[in-house]
Amino acid sequence: FFSSRRRHTRLLTVTGVQTCALPIYFTIYMIGNSKVFGELTTLAKTKRIKDKTIIVKKSDEFQNFQDADLIYISDNKSLTVKDITSKLKDKEILIIGEREDLAKKGAAISFAVLETDELSFDINLKELRSRKLQISSSLIRLGNIVEE
């Protein structure tokens, strides 16, 4: 549903000559604790994203995250969203917040539970554009557009 121009690659060497670069990993970082971690880990065992192996890593604090394609900030670490987004400014990394209104604070997408107990999500198009990420129009229609 989203894409980035940045790729993790490995160089293919045939008879000592570098011939091409092949994408190998799609790396997801989970910041904090969430049930989503288990679901992502299970998903990573059987699914691929654009022929890339999915790797799910967990962290309780900010790291370099240079190999990240997606960062998922759990509810218990939601106060770190501004710090993370500012340190990763202009990086082609999708940042998703588990807590409501995090899209208004710098995440590209944040989840919300409606009064009817239905799950909804907010999309910050400005944040997606600043990170050179594209999102499908069908996903945009399902979410709520918000601004910082």
Side-chain angles (χ1 to χ4, degrees):
F1 284 115
F2 83 97
S3 66
S4 166
R5 293 185 195 108
R6 185 176 63 83
R7 305 178 140 217
H8 298 287
T9 59
R10 74 172 162 213
L11 301 176
L12 178 62
T13 304
V14 178
T15 63
V17 177
Q18 179 181 322
T19 58
C20 64
L22 301 173
I24 54 172
Y25 301 117
F26 184 92
T27 305
I28 301 170
Y29 276 91
M30 167 70 66
I31 311 292
N33 298 313
S34 175
K35 293 178 184 177
V36 173
F37 181 77
E39 297 297 323
L40 289 173
T41 303
T42 301
L43 181 84
K45 292 176 184 174
T46 59
K47 302 292 182 185
R48 295 175 68 85
I49 296 176
K50 292 187 176 184
D51 291 327
K52 294 181 184 180
T53 300
I54 301 170
I55 296 175
V56 182
K57 299 179 179 182
K58 190 172 182 190
S59 176
D60 286 325
E61 56 192 53
F62 183 82
Q63 298 177 10
N64 193 357
F65 298 126
Q66 293 302 314
D67 63 334
D69 292 288
L70 187 153
I71 296 175
Y72 187 95
I73 303 172
S74 68
D75 186 28
N76 70 322
K77 291 291 185 175
S78 61
L79 295 176
T80 64
V81 72
K82 284 220 180 259
D83 186 43
I84 291 171
T85 56
S86 67
K87 288 179 179 174
L88 298 173
K89 188 173 177 66
D90 301 325
K91 302 283 186 216
E92 295 177 10
I93 300 171
L94 178 64
I95 299 174
I96 298 176
E98 189 171 58
R99 176 176 271 185
E100 188 173 355
D101 290 332
L102 289 184
K104 294 177 182 176
K105 297 176 181 174
I109 297 173
S110 64
F111 292 105
V113 178
L114 304 176
E115 291 177 11
T116 59
D117 286 336
E118 294 176 333
L119 185 64
S120 178
F121 61 96
D122 296 331
I123 303 169
N124 183 331
L125 292 175
K126 181 180 174 186
E127 182 66 22
L128 286 166
R129 283 188 209 107
S130 74
R131 294 183 179 280
K132 299 178 184 84
L133 299 173
Q134 299 173 352
I135 187 169
S136 75
S137 58
S138 58
L139 189 59
I140 290 172
R141 284 192 297 273
L142 293 173
N144 305 307
I145 306 301
V146 298
E147 294 182 18
E148 285 184 61

